[in-house]
Amino acid sequence: MTDKDLEKDQEFEKMLKDKMEELSDSVDCFGKISERVFCEEDADYSDSEFVVTDLENVTGRRRFSPLIKIAAAGLAAVFAVSVIPRTAFFRNFMCNVSTTSNSTFATATASVLDNTTPDSGMEFHVYDVSLDEYISKDVMVTPLYSCPFEDIGRDNVRVRVFVRTYNDVAANQMYAVEYSGEYKQANFIAVADTGIEFTDEQLAEAYEGIEQIKDTAIEFDLYKNSDTMSFTHYSIFSSGDGIYPLSSSFIFYKSGDDMMYETFHDIIREGGYQPYDVSPSDVRWKKSVYSDGTSALPSSRGTEYKKVTDVVGEETLDQLDSFLTFSPYTNKEIVSEYTSVHYIEGQYFKFDVPVDYADLQTLTISLFGKSSMYFELSSQSDPKLPVNSDDESLVTEISRDEAAKTGGVYYVDFGNLYITEADDQAMKISEEVHRILEEEGISGAVSEKEDAEIQKHIQEELDKAVDAEKNEKKPRSQLRKLIRYISRMKKRFSRPRSRSASMMLTEKTL
Amino acid sequence: MKCSDSKECLEKLYLMFKGSVFAIAFGITSDYHLSEDCVTETFVRLAQVRKFSAKKGDGKGFILTIARNVALEFRRRYRRETESDPIIQSYGEAEKTVEDSIYINQLLKYLNDKQRQTVVLKCCAELTFREIAGIMKCPETTVKSRYKKAISILKEKAGE
């Protein structure tokens, strides 16, 4: 439910309430009430069907004589003692009575089923992936949590994951069920849960911080001299010391045959927006049990992605202009049914993509050194980058104009792309702006005055470009993109952070 | 508080809860005059309580439970008389009363009985889901789910 839906609900409720109040305002029956209640003469209660002994039975329900109840209980006891034990049903039932270990599984199963039923009032994103896929590609399924089940060496085993959501934002109240064949209780092999529960009020309060963290979180997507894929997972996160809106950025790149990745987390709590270290204990499944009560937790993580702590390398920093960056799923209507981990590939890259569509919409692909592929193309054309996915409902190609229309992030190397006269002009403006930025320095020390001067100069160049003889719109739109690009870079690097990327970039540009 | 001994006391309760009691009654009976009778009956029965004990639960919930049960009882008793033309039965002296009755009935007619009661208890009697669960004798999560479903139906119909 979005904020807009919530507002509409509240308007509706108010409207109904007001109408009912208007109607009830015309009710005036206290006279009749006091006439009946305080009449000195015989009070006529015949209409109410009450007799003296029923005066306290104000709900009007008839009560049976206690003797009848006792007799009924006695008969039931006789029946239970003499008849039931002789039936086969009872014997079978006693054979299957819960032992201590089975009750753990039964309790866990009941918890999953009760909480995930549509009547529970809670909302979930539900993923259904194969067990093998979840183990090897856990980050794409539940980015913060690994698979709670070990590999049991069986075929056709799947995992259904329930992630609690609030207004489509994930929370770390999660359940997972390992099953074989059809999804039904009889086919459950193991059940897991994170042991975290949220009230609606807690989610609502934390959700208020999500928009703020979306505005302030730095989404890392543009590092390393290689093609990268990144996405940001926003969640309402319960850790040991509180419930916070959390932003988690993941960057993936290929190194040899290995897919490496790094994560960055930020939260908002007292003191404001700050980096956060998600500890292993924060993201541990509290319970994972087989039907016999034994633990189903794996002894080690089986993911194929290798987690590293230093994606950024020094050699990246002067290569920023050589990236081709695009976000293929931003503002795109995605009809994925969360049934498996998909991939996206182009001529030069292939990446797995997250299952959850909220994560997909933040996904960015950055291709290093690929902008030159457009070198011979006129800016009049709409160069397309073919992109394929094994999910037909996902994007199949990216074009510059399409990215602009959908608001997808699309940065190009202005120096190489345009060969018309207007594009030459744009290139010169680009070089001029870069020179200004280098002189002024992109660092945490940019003062308001310096910032205003830069903006003023950019605006002057923009106004000049508007007067260009040919393709007036093209230079303007390109400059606007350039200005957005610069703003983004400034925002990214003007915040004092302890991470290596910003520090090294600052050194390079000073 | 002994209502039977204090007219003033009963009047206070009446003024506090008249709106909610009427809303619950109207949500069940869909009839203005019948709902008015339910209000009368509810406070008459309340006045007959010799002693309110904490075991009966909170006072507000107690009164609204009485209201609900009275309304259900009246609806059962007078069903044949109201079935023929519920809208005509809603006629009051004032046109505004008619208009409001018809409007609310038209709005709520797409809901089943339990959804109607839930919506009325939430929106008009301004109860929490927990309180509603206590009155309707069902789990809180069921109340939430019914309410959500009811509101979505009403919004969809209102938009048509």
Side-chain angles (χ1 to χ4, degrees), chain B residues 109-145:
Chain B
K109 75 177 181 182
Y110 297 105
L111 306 179
N112 65 34
D113 193 45
K114 291 198 168 125
Q115 286 169 344
R116 281 173 67 105
Q117 289 180 48
T118 305
V119 165
V120 168
L121 285 168
K122 183 80 177 72
C123 299
C124 306
E126 294 183 298
L127 299 183
T128 63
F129 287 124
R130 184 167 293 182
E131 287 169 335
I132 296 171
I135 290 171
M136 294 185 70
K137 304 285 186 288
C138 63
E140 189 178 338
T141 49
T142 303
V143 173
K144 285 179 185 173
S145 158

Side-chain angles (χ1 to χ4, degrees), chain A residues 1 5-6 8-9 12-17 19-30 32-34 36-38 45 47-50 52-53 55-61 118-123 200-201, chain B residues 3-4 6-7 10-11 14 18-19 22-23 26 32 36 39-41 43-45 47-51 62 66 69 77 96-97 100-101 103-104 107 119-120 123-124 126 141-142 144-145 147-148 151 154-155 158:
Chain A
M1 188 192 287
D5 287 338
L6 203 58
K8 279 186 189 167
D9 279 359
F12 207 86
E13 288 168 17
K14 186 171 183 315
M15 182 268 295
L16 185 60
K17 179 171 176 279
K19 280 288 174 196
M20 194 65 87
E21 268 178 15
E22 284 173 21
L23 199 55
S24 65
D25 280 346
S26 60
V27 171
D28 182 13
C29 54
F30 187 72
K32 287 185 202 171
I33 295 170
S34 57
R36 284 175 64 180
V37 172
F38 300 109
Y45 293 116
D47 280 348
S48 67
E49 299 180 351
F50 283 123
V52 173
T53 53
L55 280 180
E56 284 195 318
N57 180 21
V58 291
T59 59
R61 289 184 188 147
D119 286 342
S120 71
M122 290 188 263
E123 292 177 355
D200 289 346
E201 290 75 23
Chain B
C3 290
S4 57
S6 168
K7 190 173 177 181
L10 184 64
E11 191 174 9
Y14 169 80
K18 177 189 78 165
F22 178 86
F26 192 86
Y32 176 85
E36 200 176 20
V39 172
T40 305
E41 185 62 29
F43 284 99
V44 167
R45 292 189 189 185
Q48 292 164 359
V49 174
R50 287 181 192 162
K51 183 181 171 185
F62 182 60
I66 298 174
N69 289 319
R77 199 191 301 174
K96 191 74 172 71
T97 307
D100 289 344
S101 294
Y103 182 89
I104 294 173
L107 204 58
V119 165
V120 168
C123 299
C124 306
E126 294 183 298
T141 49
T142 303
K144 285 179 185 173
S145 158
Y147 180 74
K148 189 177 169 182
I151 288 291
L154 290 176
K155 275 161 59 176

